[in-house]
Amino acid sequence: MISAQFLQRLTLRRDRVESFERYPFKLPAVRSLEQLDFHPKITYFIGENGSGKSTLLEAMAVALGFNAEGGSKNFNFATRRSHSELHEYLRLAKGYKRPRTGFFLRAESFFNVATEIERLDAEPSFDAPVIDAYGGHSLHEQSHGESFLTLLTERFGGQGLYILDEPEAALSPQRQLAVLSRIHDLVRDGSQFVIATHSPLLMAYPDALIYQCSADGVAPVAYEDTEHVRVTRDFLAHPERMLRDLLKP
Ligand SMILES: Nc1ncnc2c1ncn2[C@@H]1O[C@H](COP(=O)(O)OP(=O)(O)O)[C@@H](O)[C@H]1O
Ligand SMILES: [Mg+2]
């Protein structure tokens, strides 16, 4: 069926992979990957540090035409050659509708996106300053959390496709909830999100799909069954008990 959903399915062209013994193909998240369906609203990727979430998201972003270090499709800078060749091995099934806008955000390189905006605006141009689309104030002159929220409220819009890698990094719990609410508005306005996160708050959107990356590969998991929810809930329910175990003399 032809769908209006921007991103529908990812397939790894396994026949093209020469060896699953080297990076990035040896990562558990890639080694057993066949295909993944995306949720029309939000698809989350969760899993231990090093499980391959960023590698996967980055490959998707590059395959979709985003700059590997982040930004909109108009960004074309690199401070280091960082991305793997995985994008060349992905087939992405897209709907008949094209997103009106989009953004790839890597928490690690958000700083470089802010710098790139300043560099573009320092060049002579007849166009409106790039920063105007980001609220008009230098992202470097706001705290990391503030500038990220500015990005979501000022730059992100409806009918967009957004790939976010650990966006919670700079955000207080209150701000994470504000982000969830903003994401909800954008989803109602026809946007689609792919988000890698460790935050039990940020992954709580009810109408979504959560993929867990583990040693066994990538598989869907229910929100209540995620380690993030279980560990956080157990800890907050019995902090003394867990702390006693953790901090044994
Ligand atoms: N260029 C590279 N060459 C070899 N290994 C890499 C490279 N980049 C990342 N890795 C390794 O791949 C693994 C997955 O990394 P990553 O996708 O960043 O994980 P996650 O985002 O889930 O924490 C890590 O163990 C990392 O050390
Ligand atoms: Mg990562």
Side-chain angles (χ1 to χ4, degrees):
M1 200 188 79
I2 302 179
S3 151
Q5 184 179 328
F6 299 133
L7 195 52
Q8 298 179 317
R9 176 176 298 153
L10 169 158
T11 310
L12 178 64
R13 311 175 111 153
R14 301 185 64 87
D15 53 316
R16 292 194 177 186
V17 178
E18 279 173 25
S19 164
F20 282 92
E21 298 306 312
R22 62 183 180 90
Y23 176 83
F25 306 103
K26 69 171 183 190
L27 294 175
V30 182
R31 203 168 46 215
S32 55
L33 186 64
E34 310 261 352
Q35 69 178 39
L36 297 173
D37 288 324
F38 292 94
H39 192 282
K41 295 176 178 173
I42 308 182
T43 307
Y44 292 105
F45 287 87
I46 66 169
E48 263 317 312
N49 299 115
S51 61
K53 305 178 298 297
S54 294
T55 304
L56 262 180
L57 254 64
E58 189 176 77
M60 284 176 216
V62 173
L64 287 165
F66 290 104
N67 183 41
E69 281 198 50
S72 69
K73 291 204 183 182
N74 299 326
F75 284 76
N76 182 25
F77 68 95
T79 46
R80 61 186 182 124
R81 164 149 162 80
S82 61
H83 64 285
S84 74
E85 56 189 311
L86 182 59
H87 64 278
E88 295 166 23
Y89 298 80
L90 298 184
R91 189 189 298 124
L92 295 172
K94 290 172 257 182
Y96 67 86
K97 248 183 12 178
R98 281 164 158 260
R100 200 175 53 74
T101 179
F103 210 92
F104 171 40
L105 179 92
R106 306 172 50 127
E108 297 115 288
S109 50
F110 186 44
F111 182 89
N112 299 337
V113 170
T115 303
E116 176 65 5
I117 292 171
E118 291 192 345
R119 192 191 65 75
L120 289 170
D121 282 341
E123 287 180 348
S125 163
F126 292 110
D127 297 326
V130 178
I131 194 66
D132 284 0
Y134 295 79
H137 301 287
S138 167
L139 297 176
H140 279 314
E141 288 164 18
Q142 307 172 36
S143 81
H144 191 175
E146 286 167 339
S147 57
F148 177 63
L149 224 61
T150 301
L151 183 72
L152 253 85
T153 49
E154 303 287 341
R155 169 62 184 72
F156 287 16
Q159 303 288 324
L161 175 57
Y162 301 102
I163 301 184
L164 313 179
D165 193 357
E166 290 188 38
E168 71 271 18
L171 300 171
S172 70
Q174 257 326 321
R175 287 267 168 90
Q176 292 185 40
L177 296 177
V179 164
L180 208 51
S181 155
R182 174 66 183 151
I183 287 177
H184 179 54
D185 288 342
L186 292 165
V187 160
R188 278 194 300 198
D189 216 353
S191 291
Q192 187 182 11
F193 286 81
V194 178
I195 305 176
T197 183
H198 293 295
S199 163
L201 298 178
L202 216 58
M203 69 178 79
Y205 197 77
D207 194 7
L209 182 57
I210 305 179
Y211 283 116
Q212 159 98 48
C213 303
S214 74
D216 302 327
V218 184
V221 58
Y223 176 70
E224 294 290 321
D225 296 335
T226 62
E227 191 182 72
H228 310 68
V229 170
R230 282 190 287 112
V231 171
T232 309
R233 181 179 287 150
D234 289 353
F235 182 81
L236 293 177
H238 308 285
E240 353 39 60
R241 194 197 299 165
M242 277 178 105
L243 285 172
R244 210 167 38 233
D245 281 349
L246 286 168
L247 311 179
K248 276 200 280 265

